[in-house]
Amino acid sequence: MENFATEPFIQISRTYIINYNFLDSVEADLIHGMVARVMGFKIPISRTYLEEIYSKLEEENN
């Protein structure tokens, strides 16, 4: 059985799940608020999942 904590997928909104390995950046956008830049695409991040993404980024940097 696989450990889902090590899976590269992370949910960023009710609609989108992204592969964390392809996340280029998290940035502010005037129209969509916070967005994830994945392979050149801007994908909106809901406020509900923003903290989870920041936790994952902090975990990767440590």
Side-chain angles (χ1 to χ4, degrees):
M1 184 169 199
E2 294 183 49
N3 182 1
F4 290 106
T6 60
E7 289 292 316
F9 297 101
I10 187 168
Q11 186 166 6
I12 62 171
S13 70
R14 287 189 317 168
T15 310
Y16 295 105
I17 295 175
I18 62 169
N19 185 327
Y20 185 78
N21 295 327
F22 292 101
L23 178 66
D24 297 324
S25 65
V26 174
E27 52 193 52
D29 185 75
L30 291 174
I31 296 170
H32 296 96
M34 296 302 289
V35 296
R37 187 172 290 273
V38 179
M39 298 181 66
F41 295 99
K42 287 184 178 179
I43 303 171
I45 302 171
S46 74
R47 283 181 262 161
T48 306
Y49 298 98
L50 192 57
E51 187 175 323
E52 184 178 341
I53 292 171
Y54 284 145
S55 295
K56 181 81 170 169
L57 287 170
E58 187 175 308
E59 181 181 300
E60 287 286 321
N61 289 331
N62 289 334

